[in-house]
Amino acid sequence: MEINFYKYEGTGNDFVMIDNRNESFPKDNIKLIEHLCNRRFGIGGDGLILLENDATSDFKMVYFNSDGNQSTMCGNGGRCLVAFANKLQIIDKSATFMAIDGLHHAAISDDGVVSLQMKDVDSIANSTDYVFLDTGSPHHVQLVSDLAHLDVKEKGAAIRYGGLYGKAGANVNFVEQINSDTFSIRTYERGVEDETLSCGTGATAVALAMQYIGKTSSKAIKINVEGGKLEVSFDVNNGVFSNVFLKGPAKFVFEGKINI
């Protein structure tokens, strides 16, 4: 079977996009999805995303990690999917879509910047040297020095596979503060099992965590990722974060056909 695919990236976090409104894609085929995400033998991507019909919103997001397994929410993937839906003329400048963690609202500007509402966060675990929270995906957030020279894959894997988070594991974010409202991060992503150039739920987690532990008083945080810049804004009342928005570019790269 021949399928059409589209490639998108959001600050270097790249995805294979497929319009699956006809439900023809064999999404239970883990080996196929892993192959399509392979950078040498397939299309290449940090994940694969299906756009499907949804009865209560503009569309549905079904997200798979590059290991072929369906996974939790992906912030940059969600932003890219909004840009994809715009290209397919499913939406114009605003959207609602259903994802694994519930309903999301989003808007896309004329210059291709997508602002995506993330889930509310009402539970943050603050330990001695790290913070843990779920922003649609589970995230370990840890302040470090000399971020540029950190071995993210080695140190991230040790935490992801360590006893702290059990079999399910967690994504691991290493953070360095730049100024009062700006942080640089590098992220090890489970399912990719390596560092990625950007992680949207990770950027969101870092912004909320840094506000929570008092490293910033701002409610609009700038996040430098390896692939560019993201912004996270939110309201916070009594430890509950709401109106959380992840904002950044979402770019079409290329499209093609592949036999599966």
Side-chain angles (χ1 to χ4, degrees):
M1 180 174 71
E2 186 178 72
I3 60 166
N4 297 318
F5 69 87
Y6 300 75
K7 185 76 178 288
Y8 275 78
E9 62 90 9
T11 52
N13 208 186
D14 60 337
F15 307 96
V16 178
M17 298 283 189
I18 295 172
D19 179 358
N20 194 42
R21 286 176 291 172
N22 63 7
E23 298 187 3
S24 62
F25 185 83
K27 56 188 177 184
D28 294 330
N29 191 333
I30 293 173
K31 290 294 185 184
L32 171 63
I33 296 167
E34 184 180 22
H35 171 74
L36 293 175
C37 290
N38 189 288
R39 299 188 184 280
R40 289 182 171 84
F41 298 103
I43 301 162
D46 291 326
L48 181 144
I49 303 176
L50 303 179
L51 185 149
E52 298 187 345
N53 290 314
D54 184 68
T56 59
S57 65
D58 292 316
F59 54 89
K60 179 181 179 181
M61 172 183 179
V62 184
Y63 174 68
F64 301 86
N65 281 325
S66 60
D67 64 4
N69 291 295
Q70 190 171 348
S71 189
T72 46
M73 180 59 186
C74 176
N76 287 329
R79 294 189 311 96
C80 286
L81 192 63
V82 171
F84 182 40
N86 175 263
K87 183 178 180 67
L88 295 176
Q89 299 184 326
I90 296 170
I91 62 162
D92 187 17
K93 295 301 182 184
S94 63
T96 59
F97 68 90
M98 190 63 67
I100 195 167
D101 64 340
L103 188 68
H104 290 263
H105 298 267
I108 181 169
S109 67
D110 290 336
D111 59 355
V113 172
V114 175
S115 180
L116 172 64
Q117 186 174 23
M118 306 296 283
K119 64 176 280 189
D120 291 354
V121 174
D122 60 8
S123 176
I124 298 179
N126 185 12
S127 187
T128 305
D129 56 357
Y130 68 89
V131 179
F132 176 81
L133 64 163
D134 191 313
T135 54
S137 288
H139 282 277
H140 175 105
V141 176
Q142 184 170 319
L143 282 160
V144 298
S145 58
D146 199 18
L147 180 66
H149 298 101
L150 190 73
D151 189 333
V152 171
K153 185 173 183 178
E154 180 183 354
K155 292 189 179 299
I159 295 169
R160 182 259 196 267
Y161 287 107
L164 201 55
Y165 300 113
K167 185 178 179 181
N171 302 286
V172 183
N173 306 272
F174 299 102
V175 188
E176 193 167 64
Q177 184 160 11
I178 305 303
N179 57 41
S180 62
D181 66 354
T182 306
F183 297 84
S184 291
I185 73 170
R186 294 174 66 186
T187 303
Y188 177 95
E189 284 200 57
R190 63 174 190 171
V192 179
E193 307 310 335
D194 204 346
E195 180 179 8
T196 56
L197 292 180
S198 178
C199 176
T201 55
T204 305
V206 167
L208 303 192
M210 293 301 102
Q211 223 275 351
Y212 184 80
I213 65 174
K215 292 297 181 181
T216 179
S217 59
S218 177
K219 297 176 184 175
I221 312 294
K222 299 178 182 67
I223 301 290
N224 301 324
V225 296
E226 292 294 283
K229 297 180 184 298
L230 295 166
E231 296 179 24
V232 179
S233 61
F234 50 83
D235 295 328
V236 57
N237 291 290
N238 298 318
V240 177
F241 293 86
S242 60
N243 295 317
V244 181
F245 280 88
L246 172 69
K247 183 179 179 181
K251 298 179 179 180
F252 168 71
V253 184
F254 62 87
E255 63 182 288
K257 299 178 186 294
I258 190 168
N259 287 309
I260 62 172

